[in-house]
């Protein structure tokens, strides 16, 4: 049986094994998919052992997306631009192919939620691997993007890197423009520690919609809970993005694209 996995730390909360099991049943694919806790010190060694023992492919989640990118041999264009990887596939010649399906998963979910129209103003919280993975598809969808991060220089470097692809800027976390953003996206992993980024609450209260790229089983993420406490009406977590990016990963591995709508309904 072909073996697949998702790597992260923490990882116990992951719904990916359930999603891929349902994909496999829907498309009649014989495969195994597990969640594996990545070791902060030995992640690369763990991944190498997985593929040496017959692993066919895997997903990568926080905090390993940029580290996984560095060990791959071949890349999709969107992965190269992002310099972060959420999907790996072992090729017939033994080389490792890296892709990033996060961005296309996010864009498709925002479209499904009717939260993506041309020339919107979007504020993205965080400048790590998750943000890198979604910037190109968002800019290609003609979005005007502002990035903030606890370390301003990191947000600034990211904005400069992506300026050739569209309208994007970085601002200091204490000087966020006092405007009503069409969408605020939380791309930090702070929710995994039960935390949220410390920003002016008015920024969230004035937003037309908020979206957390994280999700939480059976309850709101800390970011969504905070937004609801502040009276934000249009709140969405990243579960639809998760299923969307998973479908593109599955297609890369198995050559067949699953239908995500019945999976979303079934798991919800």
């Amino acid at each position: 049986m072909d073996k697949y996995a998702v790597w992260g730390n923490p990882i116990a909360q992951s719904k990916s094994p359930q999603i891929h099991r349902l994909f496999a049943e829907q498309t009649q694919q014989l495969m195994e998919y597990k969640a594996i806790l990545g070791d902060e010190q030995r992640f690369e060694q763990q991944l190498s052992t997985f593929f040496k023992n017959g692993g066919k492919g895997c997903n990568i989640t926080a905090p390993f997306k940029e580290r996984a990118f560095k060990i791959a041999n071949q890349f999709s264009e969107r992965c190269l631009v992002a310099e972060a990887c959420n999907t790996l596939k072992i090729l017939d010649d033994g080389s490792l192919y890296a892709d990033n399906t996060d961005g296309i998963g996010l864009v498709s979910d925002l479209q499904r939620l009717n939260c993506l129209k041309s020339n919107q103003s979007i504020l993205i919280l965080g400048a790590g691997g998750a943000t890198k993975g979604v910037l190109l598809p968002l800019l290609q969808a003609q979005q005007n993007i502002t990035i903030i991060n606890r370390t301003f220089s990191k947000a600034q470097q990211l904005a400069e890197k992506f300026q050739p692809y569209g309208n994007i800027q970085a601002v200091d976390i204490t000087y966020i423009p006092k405007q009503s953003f069409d969408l605020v996206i939380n791309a930090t992993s702070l929710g995994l520690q039960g935390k949220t980024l410390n920003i002016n609450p008015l920024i969230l209260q004035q937003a037309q919609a908020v979206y957390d790229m994280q999700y939480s089983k059976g309850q709101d993420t800390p970011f969504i809970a905070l937004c609801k406490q502040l009276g934000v009406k249009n709140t969405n977590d990243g579960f639809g993005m998760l299923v969307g990016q998973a479908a593109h990963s599955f297609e890369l591995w198995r050559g067949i694209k699953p239908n995500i709508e019945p999976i979303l309904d079934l798991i919800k």
Side-chain angles (χ1 to χ4, degrees):
M1 186 179 291
D2 290 344
K3 295 180 180 180
Y4 299 87
V6 58
W7 299 75
N9 189 339
I11 198 62
Q13 81 287 352
S14 178
K15 285 192 174 80
S16 291
Q18 182 184 8
I19 292 168
H20 283 279
R21 185 176 68 249
L22 292 170
F23 283 168
E25 291 173 1
Q26 183 192 96
T27 58
Q28 298 180 317
Q29 299 290 301
L30 188 63
M31 56 183 282
E32 173 186 274
Y33 187 107
K34 294 182 177 180
I36 300 176
L37 180 67
D39 186 289
E40 293 274 6
Q41 307 301 321
R42 299 176 54 253
F43 168 68
E44 289 81 1
Q45 183 181 339
Q46 286 180 309
L47 207 55
S48 175
T49 301
F50 172 75
F51 283 112
K52 284 179 181 177
N53 290 340
K56 297 291 185 181
C58 63
N59 288 126
I60 308 294
T61 189
F64 299 118
K65 292 183 180 184
E66 291 160 296
R67 288 170 65 173
F69 171 83
K70 292 177 181 177
I71 65 175
N73 311 111
Q74 299 184 44
F75 311 87
S76 67
E77 181 184 12
R78 58 196 178 198
C79 186
L80 266 180
V81 173
E83 295 183 339
C85 150
N86 81 323
T87 307
L88 290 170
K89 177 184 179 180
I90 196 80
L91 301 179
D92 291 339
D93 63 1
S95 60
L96 206 53
Y97 179 80
D99 195 4
N100 195 316
T101 65
D102 283 333
I104 194 168
L106 173 62
V107 166
S108 62
D109 197 40
L110 291 175
Q111 290 170 334
R112 181 182 69 87
L113 296 166
N114 199 30
C115 287
L116 197 69
K117 303 181 178 78
S118 295
N119 295 312
Q120 290 187 141
S121 58
I122 296 181
L123 176 66
I124 299 182
L125 314 181
T131 302
K132 286 182 181 180
V134 302
L135 282 179
L136 182 60
L138 285 173
L139 290 169
Q140 289 173 334
Q142 298 180 309
Q143 304 302 297
N144 303 304
I145 296 174
T146 299
I147 307 175
I148 64 167
N149 192 63
R150 285 179 294 183
T151 305
F152 172 66
S153 60
K154 192 173 182 182
Q156 194 171 34
Q157 290 169 5
L158 201 55
E160 290 174 356
K161 174 181 173 61
F162 281 87
Q163 276 172 354
Y165 303 100
N167 187 4
I168 182 171
Q169 66 171 342
V171 299
D172 189 280
I173 196 168
T174 57
Y175 296 104
I176 302 171
K178 290 181 170 58
Q179 67 181 75
S180 176
F181 287 95
D182 294 297
L183 180 65
V184 176
I185 298 176
N186 177 39
T188 75
S189 58
L190 290 172
L192 296 174
Q193 290 89 47
K195 302 176 182 178
T196 59
L197 198 62
N198 185 22
I199 65 170
N200 187 339
L202 282 174
I203 300 298
L204 300 176
Q205 290 175 318
Q206 294 174 356
Q208 299 302 306
V210 299
Y211 189 100
D212 193 350
M213 286 170 57
Q214 297 287 330
Y215 66 94
S216 184
K217 184 177 181 180
Q219 61 186 6
D220 290 330
T221 65
F223 177 73
I224 295 297
L226 172 64
C227 290
K228 287 183 176 180
Q229 288 169 14
L230 293 172
V232 181
K233 302 298 184 186
N234 191 349
T235 62
N236 305 278
D237 69 16
F239 186 64
M241 173 185 172
L242 174 75
V243 178
Q245 63 82 22
H248 287 277
S249 295
F250 189 92
E251 183 180 22
L252 174 65
W253 297 328
R254 310 302 295 183
I256 184 170
K257 177 82 175 293
N259 181 4
I260 71 169
E261 289 298 333
I263 306 301
L264 279 171
D265 294 339
L266 188 61
I267 297 181
K268 283 185 178 178

